[in-house]
C-alpha cells in the first residue's frame, strides 16, 4: 500500500478558499502514518466549532459558512478526513474502516482542540461526529446535524443502495460532478474543479469509494455494535441539538425527525427542513446553517 500526498498545484487559486494550511501527523495503523490537513481560523481563545465534512467532499465545502461563524466570534476548525482533501490518502480501499476513521479523527481532535466545542456535521461527518458525541458527550457544547445519522443496521433505502453500488463499481467516479448533481443550486466550473482537485487519479479515490461500503445500514455490519453503544450517550445528550435537513436530499429523508425525537437536547429546538437544499447543504444554504450553529451555541452559553 502507498500513502499518497496531494500536489499543492492542484489547490492553487480555489474560489473563496484562501485559508491558511495546518497539518498534523496521524498514526494510521499497521505501521503507517499520514498527514491530516485542517483549517483553523479565528482567535485561539474563541469558542471552537468543529466542521466535519462527509463523502466525497472536503473542507472546501465549508468556505461559505466559515466567514459567518468567524463574524459571530467562533474559532473554526475543519479537518480534511484521511483520504480526502489535502490530507494524505492510503490507496488501498480495504485499509479504510469505520473504526480507523474514528481513531484518525479522534487523534486530530485530542491534539488540536481538547476543549468542549460546538459541532456541525453532515453526511459521514455525522457518522463520525455523532459517534464521538455519544462516546464523549462532555466534550461537546452543542450540535447541529444536517443530512446525516448514526445508523445501527436495518433496511437501507433504495437511493442509498444505488449510491453504494455506483461508488463501488462505476468506472466513472467524477467527484466534482457528483457534488454538482447532489446540490439544489448550480456550482460554477471553478467550484466543480475544486472538488476534483484532491482526486487526480483512480488510486487517490480509494477513500471516496470505500466510505459508502462502510455505512452500517444492514444487520451484521461492522460499526453496528459501537454505534448502538454510542446511541446511549447520544440519546441522553441534554445540551442544544438542532437538526437542519435539506428538502431535496433523497438519501437522508426523514432521518432528521428521528434524531430530533430520540435526543434529549433536541426537545424544543427549532428544527427545520430547508427548501432548495440538496444533500450538500453547505453549498445550498450556508447562511442558514451557520445561523443555526450560532443559535445553538448561544443557547449553550458559548457566545
Amino acid at each position: 500500500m502507498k500513502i499518497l500526498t496531494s500536489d499543492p498545484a492542484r489547490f492553487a487559486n480555489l474560489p473563496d478558499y484562501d485559508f491558511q494550511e495546518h497539518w498534523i501527523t496521524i498514526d494510521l495503523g499497521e505501521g503507517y502514518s499520514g498527514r491530516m490537513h485542517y483549517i483553523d481560523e479565528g482567535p485561539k481563545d474563541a469558542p471552537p466549532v468543529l466542521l466535519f465534512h462527509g463523502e466525497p467532499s472536503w473542507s472546501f465545502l465549508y468556505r461559505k459558512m466559515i466567514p459567518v461563524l468567524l463574524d459571530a466570534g467562533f474559532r473554526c476548525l475543519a479537518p480534511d478526513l484521511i483520504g480526502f482533501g489535502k490530507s494524505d490518502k492510503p490507496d488501498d480501499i480495504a485499509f479504510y474502516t469505520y473504526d480507523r476513521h474514528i481513531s484518525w479523527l479522534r487523534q486530530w481532535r485530542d491534539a488540536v482542540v481538547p476543549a468542549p466545542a460546538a459541532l456541525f456535521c453532515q453526511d459521514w461527518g455525522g457518522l463520525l461526529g455523532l459517534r464521538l458525541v455519544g462516546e464523549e458527550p462532555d466534550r461537546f457544547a452543542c450540535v447541529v446535524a444536517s443530512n446525516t445519522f448514526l445508523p445501527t443496521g436495518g433496511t437501507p433505502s433504495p437511493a442509498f443502495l444505488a449510491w453504494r453500488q455506483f461508488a463501488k463499481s462505476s468506472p466513472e467516479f467524477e467527484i466534482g460532478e457528483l457534488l454538482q448533481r447532489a446540490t439544489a443550486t448550480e456550482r460554477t466550473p471553478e467550484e466543480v474543479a475544486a472538488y476534483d482537485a484532491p482526486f487526480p487519479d483512480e488510486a487517490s479515490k480509494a477513500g471516496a469509494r470505500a466510505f459508502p461500503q462502510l455505512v452500517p445500514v444492514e444487520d451484521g455490519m461492522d460499526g453496528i455494535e459501537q454505534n448502538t453503544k454510542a446511541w446511549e450517550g447520544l440519546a441522553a445528550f441534554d445540551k442544544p441539538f438542532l437538526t437542519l435537513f435539506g428538502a431535496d436530499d433523497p438519501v437522508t429523508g426523514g432521518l432528521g425527525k428521528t434524531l430530533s425525537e430520540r435526543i434529549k437536547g433536541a426537545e424544543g429546538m427549532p428544527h427545520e427542513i430547508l427548501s432548495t437544499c440538496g444533500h450538500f447543504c453547505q453549498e445550498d444554504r450556508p447562511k442558514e446553517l451557520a445561523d443555526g450553529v450560532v443559535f445553538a451555541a448561544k443557547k449553550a452559553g458559548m457566545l
Side-chain angles (χ1 to χ4, degrees):
M1 184 178 73
K2 295 180 180 178
I3 306 297
L4 307 177
T5 58
S6 295
D7 178 2
R10 292 184 61 85
F11 297 90
N13 302 317
L14 300 182
D16 303 316
Y17 190 88
D18 56 356
F19 307 113
Q20 183 178 350
E21 293 182 341
H22 296 269
W23 300 88
I24 183 174
T25 298
I26 299 294
D27 179 1
L28 301 179
E30 296 187 15
Y32 293 97
S33 64
R35 293 204 310 162
M36 178 181 281
H37 166 263
Y38 63 99
I39 293 171
D40 187 351
E41 296 284 321
K44 294 296 186 287
D45 59 351
V49 57
L50 313 181
L51 306 169
F52 289 172
H53 75 82
E55 149 79 359
S57 58
W58 60 290
S59 59
F60 181 76
L61 188 65
Y62 285 105
R63 72 198 181 282
K64 299 177 184 179
M65 289 179 62
I66 287 173
V68 181
L69 295 170
L70 290 175
D71 287 344
F74 279 108
R75 174 189 178 190
C76 296
L77 298 118
D80 289 339
L81 300 176
I82 293 295
F84 297 83
K86 296 183 179 182
S87 293
D88 288 353
K89 301 171 181 65
D91 67 355
D92 181 2
I93 292 176
F95 187 74
Y96 294 88
T97 69
Y98 198 153
D99 281 345
R100 278 185 174 150
H101 270 294
I102 288 287
S103 170
W104 301 337
L105 192 55
R106 181 176 278 122
Q107 288 179 56
W108 171 81
R109 167 70 193 271
D110 289 348
V112 173
V113 56
L119 170 66
F120 179 90
C121 56
Q122 177 261 343
D123 191 83
W124 258 99
L127 272 76
L128 300 171
L130 296 180
R131 165 89 80 84
L132 294 178
V133 173
E135 292 177 344
E136 301 178 285
D138 291 343
R139 301 186 66 181
F140 295 88
C142 62
V143 178
V144 179
S146 184
N147 298 346
T148 191
F149 196 58
L150 187 65
T152 55
T155 303
S157 69
F160 176 77
L161 289 176
W163 160 239
R164 186 173 68 179
Q165 184 59 35
F166 177 85
K168 180 179 180 179
S169 61
S170 174
E172 298 295 329
F173 198 58
E174 302 300 324
I175 306 300
E177 183 57 32
L178 289 172
L179 267 289
Q180 180 75 284
R181 296 204 303 264
T183 54
T185 53
E186 188 77 9
R187 307 273 62 75
T188 67
E190 292 78 14
E191 289 172 328
V192 172
Y195 283 114
D196 281 328
F199 307 105
D201 52 28
E202 181 60 32
S204 64
K205 300 175 185 178
R209 286 197 183 269
F211 248 157
Q213 321 309 318
L214 303 179
V215 181
V217 291
E218 294 171 297
D219 294 344
M221 293 185 67
D222 289 342
I224 289 178
E225 181 180 352
Q226 298 91 326
N227 282 4
T228 300
K229 179 64 176 176
W231 256 110
E232 297 176 13
L234 184 60
F237 185 76
D238 60 359
K239 286 164 277 190
F241 191 105
L242 178 65
T243 63
L244 298 172
F245 276 51
D248 302 305
D249 181 12
V251 177
T252 57
L255 296 178
K257 187 172 186 291
T258 304
L259 288 173
S260 65
E261 290 177 345
R262 292 183 64 181
I263 297 170
K264 187 174 182 180
E267 184 177 353
M269 294 289 283
H271 308 288
E272 190 174 354
I273 301 296
L274 302 175
S275 61
T276 317
C277 185
H279 183 66
F280 294 100
C281 49
Q282 301 94 322
E283 289 287 359
D284 292 326
R285 302 293 291 271
K287 177 64 163 56
E288 291 84 350
L289 297 174
D291 286 345
V293 175
V294 173
F295 174 86
K298 286 183 176 179
K299 192 171 180 64
M302 295 185 74
L303 295 175

